[in-house]
Amino acid sequence: MDFIPVFIKMSELFIIIIIGFIAGRIKIITPSGKAVLSKIIINITMPATILSSVMNAENLPSTTEILKILLIAFSTYIVLFALAKLTSFMLRVKGAQKNVVEFAMIFSNVAFIGFPVTEAIFGSESLFYTSIFTMPFNLLCYSLGVGLLSGRFTKDYDTDKTTPSNVDAEKKKINWKKLFLTPALITGVLCVILGITKFQVPVFISDTLDMIGGVTTPGALLVIGATLSEMKIKEMFSNVKAYLFTVMQVIVTPLVMYLIYRPVCSSNPLLLGETVIITAMPVASAGTMLCVEYGSDEKFMAQITFISTLATVITIPIISMLL
């Protein structure tokens, strides 16, 4: 894969984020409007994107290969968890910032940016792989992720002055309904079933879902931009730890993944490429919203989300070229 085409695609995506940023600043996209748009994307257009990726695929992997993709997708989170602990130790962060760093290292932006980027690099065939990689994300983000940001796993959480000590205890409980009944997870399971059974749906249904799914990428990027618009420009660039974190997130992590999974995926270059690129994504945009809900450090989360997103405009094209 050449550098220039992927760089152009990443630049296009970042321009949409900038448009969302401007729209948020001039109140075209209001906080309430952003919330509505997010719900539409998560509950309607993204599931349509995931399903259409399977329905319109010409060559789906074998059942054995699908199970292998699932196994690798889940196993990456073991590696990411170890890297998260290493990163928080290296950055010397404590309390809420420690929770934020570990969440951000584990959960990259698989859903919002993952689909357009992997399609740009590997073609439409990769969308099925990406949809499977969203399954462990959706399963773990609202269990392990919530546990991290709410302070369930951190003894010194309340000693951090940047974190409220009176976070509602009810919010620290895992919402099992929200965990297992997310539209993205349900459609991910349907994708696996369709992939294994090779069931063919009518063309007009797959075309309709493809049309609806076309809203996902620009809509999601506008939401990210609007979220960043709620910060001051100076605040986005003022934290040195955000830059150090970004190096670990978008450079060290994909390198580690490549070294670990290259022997495992030697017979399937697409699976290796997906594993590396997915883990090279910037911080998940859901992180900031969860910080607000569970009383964690939303400012620091927004900073590392912005810096890591900006960095991937350069790093992902370079990684794809090396792959």
Side-chain angles (χ1 to χ4, degrees), residues 84-316:
K85 291 296 183 181
L86 175 63
T87 303
S88 63
F89 173 78
M90 292 174 60
L91 295 183
R92 306 291 182 182
V93 285
K94 296 181 180 180
Q97 286 200 350
K98 180 177 184 291
N99 298 335
V100 166
V101 164
E102 292 181 358
F103 176 95
M105 280 296 297
I106 296 170
F107 300 105
S108 59
N109 206 329
V110 178
F112 281 179
I113 298 182
F115 283 99
V117 170
T118 53
E119 184 179 18
I121 296 172
F122 304 113
S124 58
E125 181 184 357
S126 66
L127 292 177
F128 177 73
Y129 286 70
T130 308
S131 69
I132 294 180
F133 271 88
T134 64
M135 293 176 65
F137 174 90
N138 285 286
L139 183 64
L140 295 171
C141 184
Y142 294 100
S143 53
L144 174 62
V146 167
L148 285 170
L149 295 181
S150 64
R152 287 172 60 96
F153 308 141
T154 310
K155 293 181 180 180
D156 63 343
Y157 185 75
D158 291 340
T159 64
D160 178 15
K161 295 180 180 179
T162 65
T163 307
S165 58
N166 60 343
V167 177
D168 190 346
E170 289 297 318
K171 287 187 176 182
K172 295 186 179 184
K173 295 181 180 179
I174 295 174
N175 187 329
W176 294 104
K177 182 178 179 181
K178 187 176 183 180
L179 172 61
F180 287 108
L181 297 182
T182 59
L185 183 59
I186 293 171
T187 50
V189 172
L190 287 175
C191 281
V192 173
I193 294 173
L194 291 173
I196 292 175
T197 62
K198 303 297 189 291
F199 180 79
Q200 296 292 321
V201 300
V203 175
F204 78 92
I205 293 179
S206 60
D207 287 348
T208 301
L209 290 174
D210 186 55
M211 187 184 304
I212 296 172
V215 178
T216 300
T217 298
L221 296 173
L222 288 173
V223 168
I224 293 173
T227 300
L228 292 172
S229 73
E230 297 170 4
M231 291 182 61
K232 295 179 180 179
I233 297 292
K234 185 179 180 180
E235 289 180 345
M236 294 182 188
F237 298 98
S238 61
N239 195 327
V240 175
K241 289 182 179 179
Y243 294 95
L244 298 175
F245 166 86
T246 298
V247 172
M248 290 293 296
Q249 169 83 359
V250 304
I251 297 177
V252 176
T253 296
L255 176 60
V256 170
M257 290 296 180
Y258 178 79
L259 294 175
I260 291 176
Y261 288 98
R262 184 182 180 185
V264 181
C265 304
S266 57
S267 61
N268 190 341
L270 176 57
L271 179 54
L272 174 61
E274 276 275 337
T275 304
V276 174
I277 291 296
I278 286 294
T279 54
M281 295 291 165
V283 178
S285 54
T288 302
M289 291 180 283
L290 290 175
C291 280
V292 174
E293 185 174 355
Y294 292 98
S296 195
D297 193 338
E298 60 185 276
K299 177 181 175 181
F300 185 53
M301 181 71 82
Q303 286 175 327
I304 60 178
T305 300
F306 174 76
I307 297 297
S308 62
T309 302
L310 179 60
T312 52
V313 175
I314 300 296
T315 58
I316 286 182

Side-chain angles (χ1 to χ4, degrees), residues 47-120:
T49 299
I50 295 172
L51 283 173
S52 66
S53 70
V54 178
M55 295 177 181
N56 293 314
E58 296 181 0
N59 298 308
L60 290 174
S62 65
T63 300
T64 302
E65 196 65 27
I66 291 174
L67 294 176
K68 182 179 180 180
I69 298 168
L70 267 173
L71 179 61
I72 288 179
F74 275 95
S75 71
T76 59
Y77 282 86
I78 299 174
V79 181
L80 290 170
F81 184 80
L83 287 173
K85 291 296 183 181
L86 175 63
T87 303
S88 63
F89 173 78
M90 292 174 60
L91 295 183
R92 306 291 182 182
V93 285
K94 296 181 180 180
Q97 286 200 350
K98 180 177 184 291
N99 298 335
V100 166
V101 164
E102 292 181 358
F103 176 95
M105 280 296 297
I106 296 170
F107 300 105
S108 59
N109 206 329
V110 178
F112 281 179
I113 298 182
F115 283 99
V117 170
T118 53
E119 184 179 18

